[in-house]
Amino acid sequence: MQFSSKKPGFEYLRKKWSARHRASQNRFWEKHGEALKQVAIGSLGGLMLLTPAKSLTVQTHLFASRDDVLKGYDKNVLLAESLSDKIPKDLSPLEKQEEMSIVETLSKSFGFKVTAQIDNIRLNRNFGLIGGEQHLLRYPGDNLYAHADTTVDWAKYGSAGMAPGLGAWGYFAPSKSEFTEIAKQREKYYLAIQTFLVPGYAENVAKYRDFFKFRKMLVVNPKTGQAVVAVIADAGPAEWTGKHLGGSPEVMDVLGLSEGLRQGPVLYFFIDDQSDQVPLGPVKVTEKLAKI
Amino acid sequence: MKYFYSHLIAIDSIIEELDEMDLSDEEKIHLGQLLDSSLHHTILDAILSQLSDSDKRAFMQCITEGNHDKIWKFLNEKTARVEDKIKKAAKDLKEELQEDIEEVHKLK
């Protein structure tokens, strides 16, 4: 998508930074192009931000769009198709038979065990309305700008803002120096779940708190098949909101729900991953799905 | 998106300055892509300038595989003080970009 802006500040930076970008591209390819000739062009395409200076212009590559909201498509669309006759037409909780069928489909699709119940604990529901949450403070002194690895991260996720309070389990790390990659991923891909509505929660607060702390879950947008593995890091939303769970800005983006009202119906189940093999983040349907 | 050098380049300050500007989401993404890609080319240029032609190709192969540990193992074997060079390249570019932002403030 190409667009124009009448804001002089933006126009100034756009022109200046486009020129700088072209200069950095040209410098790179002039100095190293000969040596990299033998690297397969397909491999270069996989280098994300590294663009050939002449064959792919700045304009075609960099003029921004939110088209990447569709990036979770491809084989996951087949999953959406297979789920279409399994989920209720409204947002009512799943019937037992529906739940079993969906759990089986999701487990086969993603190649790991998806389940509605672990250790006799199950959520109040597994199909509901997810709403966009804010970023969470990860360690004392954390700020919104530090959440972004790249400027595009900030552009895409920064506007969600920072929640005024801490997540359900407090900070993700006691200090910045003890902040690990795992803790970073947990905040990036976190869910707020209505744990307080789980049957038996009031009678077993300590046990359930330990169970839910960073519990790994699969969330699927049944309309598109876009899916993400995330952890429970907060309690909510309140019942009066009409929503049933919340997702971090990155979770909402992966699910294709980061635009507009930032909400939509999703399926959400536990992942039985005792050996911690399933990574957090976007998840693609495996080849097996086509046979379901 | 995290790159193998993300932990070495603090972009908080430049993001904070962009955040103070009146920009739409599309404008933020547009400038963000220009900035990130310029940084990427600049940093890779700084690294490749330390390598022989055959090592350049091997390094690019490491990048396409996306294994950050492997990338750093390779760089630590083939180069000296590469982290300092990455930091310096990023710092120099960021200073230029920050000067551009300061120019924007003068437009008002």
Side-chain angles (χ1 to χ4, degrees), chain B residues 31-43:
Chain B
L31 293 178
Q33 286 176 321
L34 284 171
L35 193 157
D36 290 342
S37 186
S38 296
L39 262 176
H40 198 61
H41 282 84
T42 302
I43 288 168

Side-chain angles (χ1 to χ4, degrees), chain B residues 3 30 36-37 45 47 49-50 64 74 85 88 90 96:
Chain B
Y3 294 96
H30 181 79
D36 290 342
S37 186
D45 174 32
I47 294 169
S49 297
Q50 308 298 309
T64 59
F74 179 87
K85 292 184 172 73
K88 167 108 180 32
E96 290 177 18

Side-chain angles (χ1 to χ4, degrees), chain A residues 23-248:
Chain A
S24 66
Q25 276 183 313
N26 291 338
R27 192 165 50 244
F28 178 90
W29 288 105
E30 278 167 22
K31 282 174 72 177
H32 313 293
E34 195 62 30
L36 299 180
K37 260 184 183 171
Q38 293 173 35
V39 179
I41 196 70
S43 301
L44 289 177
L47 298 177
M48 300 301 290
L49 296 173
L50 192 60
T51 53
K54 288 169 187 165
S55 61
L56 186 59
T57 65
V58 177
Q59 283 74 19
T60 55
H61 177 61
L62 288 174
F63 272 80
S65 76
R66 299 306 304 268
D67 294 346
D68 60 354
V69 78
L70 300 176
K71 68 190 173 197
Y73 268 80
D74 55 55
K75 270 181 288 192
N76 288 37
V77 173
L78 298 174
L79 172 63
E81 197 180 317
S82 72
L83 288 172
S84 61
D85 59 353
K86 292 186 171 76
I87 58 169
K89 300 300 173 202
D90 55 15
L91 273 173
S92 55
L94 301 176
E95 300 288 340
K96 192 71 187 166
Q97 203 58 38
E98 291 171 328
E99 175 190 301
M100 287 170 60
S101 171
I102 291 169
V103 159
E104 187 186 353
T105 297
L106 295 179
S107 294
K108 282 183 183 171
S109 300
F110 294 105
F112 49 74
K113 188 178 175 188
V114 176
T115 177
Q117 181 170 313
I118 293 178
D119 295 344
N120 291 320
I121 298 175
R122 53 190 302 126
L123 297 178
N124 55 324
R125 57 192 298 151
N126 296 101
F127 179 54
L129 188 67
I130 192 171
E133 299 285 335
Q134 295 181 296
H135 293 282
L136 292 174
L137 287 163
R138 302 169 301 177
Y139 48 80
D142 188 23
N143 66 68
L144 187 59
Y145 307 120
H147 281 236
D149 283 327
T150 66
T151 323
V152 171
D153 280 354
W154 158 75
K156 287 172 70 177
Y157 309 126
S159 60
M162 185 79 90
L166 300 177
W169 325 123
Y171 290 113
F172 291 76
S175 67
K176 187 176 182 180
S177 62
E178 296 165 275
F179 183 57
T180 62
E181 184 60 28
I182 292 170
K184 184 176 180 177
Q185 291 293 309
R186 283 174 169 171
E187 190 279 336
K188 197 170 183 178
Y189 300 108
Y190 88 84
L191 299 172
I193 294 288
Q194 292 175 319
T195 49
F196 46 86
L197 295 181
V198 168
Y201 184 84
E203 299 81 31
N204 300 282
V205 173
K207 177 187 168 190
Y208 279 38
R209 185 190 58 215
D210 291 346
F211 174 83
F212 287 122
K213 187 173 183 178
F214 300 130
R215 173 67 56 180
K216 215 175 269 184
M217 299 199 71
L218 173 71
V219 186
V220 179
N221 179 344
K223 288 183 180 171
T224 64
Q226 288 164 292
V228 63
V229 176
V231 294
I232 301 174
D234 206 1
E239 279 186 276
W240 59 263
T241 63
K243 297 171 192 167
H244 303 109
L245 73 163
S248 69

Side-chain angles (χ1 to χ4, degrees), chain B residues 63-75:
Chain B
I63 292 191
T64 59
E65 290 170 18
N67 182 331
H68 293 188
D69 290 339
K70 189 175 174 185
I71 291 171
W72 281 111
K73 185 171 181 289
F74 179 87
L75 287 178

